[in-house]
Amino acid sequence: MKDRLTDALYGLGWATVKKLPEPVANGLGRCIADQVWKRRGKSVLRLESNLARVVPDASPERLAALSQAGMRSYMRYWMESFRLPSWSKDRMASGFLPEDVHHLTEGLASGRGVVLALPHMGNYDLAGAWVTTKLDTPFTTVAERLKPETLYDRFVAYRESLGMEVLPHVGGSAFGTLARRLRAGGLVCLVADRDLSASGVEVKFFGEATRMPAGPAMLAQQTGALLLPVTLWYDDSPVMKGRVHPPIEVPETGDRASRTSSMTQALADAFATGIADHPEDWHMLQRLWLADLEERRP
């Protein structure tokens, strides 16, 4: 019953919100965000706890303001995502303005393949839609298997409608497909600030230990693809902003494990730079640091 209700609510969002005028949808998102924030539920408290590590000198009042802004940013992501399938190609192409995009375009022009790695910031679906429209470049990504299955199917259909190839995050078959796309000079985009496999690489992130996926670094090593971190944020305009960070190079020495560790730490450092600049746009409402994950264990 819970799964069916969840699927029905998402279906209602996609069916209804996309028909609303943009100012109305934005206002609805802020209203929902503020109501959820005021209830101080587990997700809001977890977001605030995570932000306390990002901004360690913040007062309780500052953290509360950041978490409220964070929930508004998160709901903007959802309102945009519900509406994206109804946007024109011109609207998608003008909805994102990244800095230093030459790292991406030059990498694609070289023919060596590119891995874009992103944290849970801003709206990576909008960034993806910009890539497929403004740059006219298809890409492959991986999606977490959601429950119920019908909800996962909705997300896959939604992202495919924006021009993305979506692979399920199960087993080892996705890695092989991603590697083939990169060897052919293609583009792969991966959300990479939270390890879903429990076998990720341990890194220092805002001074504490966590794990991040090894996939981006391993793909770059195995295929020769360029590895580019990307961070995203909102301002007061309707246009999302972002930055394509400089490439993370493969170390010249060390075995595969040490090279993967070094590259993943460099990726974490790039994410931290973007998140520290725009903490309210980092939508991390789950436990992330190892200390928090260990507290959860019986």
Side-chain angles (χ1 to χ4, degrees), residues 69-101:
M71 292 307 298
R72 287 184 172 185
S73 175
Y74 186 49
M75 286 310 302
R76 177 172 171 176
Y77 158 77
W78 279 111
M79 292 298 113
E80 285 179 347
S81 294
F82 286 142
R83 292 174 52 77
L84 266 177
S86 67
W87 284 13
S88 68
K89 288 188 175 182
D90 286 344
R91 177 70 177 87
M92 291 181 189
S94 64
F96 178 43
L97 186 62
E99 301 171 2
D100 298 329
V101 73

Side-chain angles (χ1 to χ4, degrees), residues 10-297:
Y10 279 106
L12 181 64
W14 266 300
T16 303
V17 174
K18 70 180 180 181
K19 298 178 182 177
L20 297 175
E22 192 162 335
V24 174
N26 292 340
L28 175 62
R30 285 192 299 272
C31 181
I32 293 172
D34 288 347
Q35 290 302 312
V36 171
W37 178 79
K38 288 176 183 177
R39 291 176 184 171
R40 309 289 291 165
K42 290 182 179 179
S43 294
V44 173
L45 294 177
R46 177 52 52 191
L47 175 62
E48 217 161 275
S49 175
N50 290 339
L51 289 171
R53 285 177 166 102
V54 176
V55 191
D57 58 348
S59 66
E61 294 76 17
R62 169 69 171 147
L63 278 178
L66 274 177
S67 68
Q68 183 176 24
M71 292 307 298
R72 287 184 172 185
S73 175
Y74 186 49
M75 286 310 302
R76 177 172 171 176
Y77 158 77
W78 279 111
M79 292 298 113
E80 285 179 347
S81 294
F82 286 142
R83 292 174 52 77
L84 266 177
S86 67
W87 284 13
S88 68
K89 288 188 175 182
D90 286 344
R91 177 70 177 87
M92 291 181 189
S94 64
F96 178 43
L97 186 62
E99 301 171 2
D100 298 329
V101 73
H102 65 92
H103 292 306
L104 171 58
T105 54
E106 290 170 5
L108 292 171
S110 73
R112 63 185 288 194
V114 175
V115 179
L116 293 181
L118 306 90
H120 286 80
M121 288 187 80
N123 187 341
Y124 35 81
D125 289 324
L126 173 54
W130 180 87
V131 168
T132 60
T133 54
K134 181 73 172 182
L135 300 186
D136 194 24
T137 301
F139 66 89
T140 304
T141 188
V142 175
E144 179 183 359
R145 277 282 186 188
L146 301 173
K147 292 184 179 180
E149 190 75 14
T150 50
L151 180 58
Y152 171 78
D153 292 340
R154 284 185 189 273
F155 271 97
V156 170
Y158 156 65
R159 286 173 174 149
E160 287 178 342
S161 75
L162 300 175
M164 311 175 193
E165 179 187 21
V166 183
L167 307 176
H169 189 280
V170 290
S173 59
F175 187 92
T177 302
L178 296 174
R180 287 194 293 274
R181 300 292 183 269
L182 292 168
R183 289 193 183 99
L187 176 63
V188 165
C189 300
L190 301 171
V191 180
D193 59 341
R194 181 168 171 252
D195 178 43
L196 297 176
S197 66
S199 61
V201 176
E202 186 169 321
V203 296
K204 286 290 185 181
F205 192 52
F206 291 101
E208 291 192 44
T210 187
R211 282 188 297 267
M212 291 189 179
M218 292 179 65
L219 284 166
Q221 290 179 71
Q222 188 163 317
T223 67
L226 203 65
L227 176 55
L228 299 175
V230 178
T231 51
L232 311 171
W233 65 90
Y234 293 122
D235 55 20
D236 293 331
S237 77
V239 179
M240 185 176 70
K241 305 303 190 297
R243 179 188 175 199
V244 182
H245 295 252
I248 293 175
E249 302 294 342
V250 178
E252 295 181 359
T253 60
D255 59 16
R256 177 177 293 185
S258 67
R259 292 195 300 268
T260 299
S261 177
S262 176
M263 294 174 72
T264 306
Q265 182 63 63
L267 196 61
D269 293 342
F271 290 166
T273 298
I275 292 167
D277 288 341
H278 305 279
E280 67 277 10
D281 293 311
W282 186 44
H283 307 150
M284 185 54 64
L285 280 67
Q286 299 85 19
R287 296 173 187 265
L288 180 73
W289 280 273
L290 299 186
D292 292 339
L293 294 170
E294 288 167 1
E295 284 178 8
R296 192 176 185 178
R297 294 172 186 165

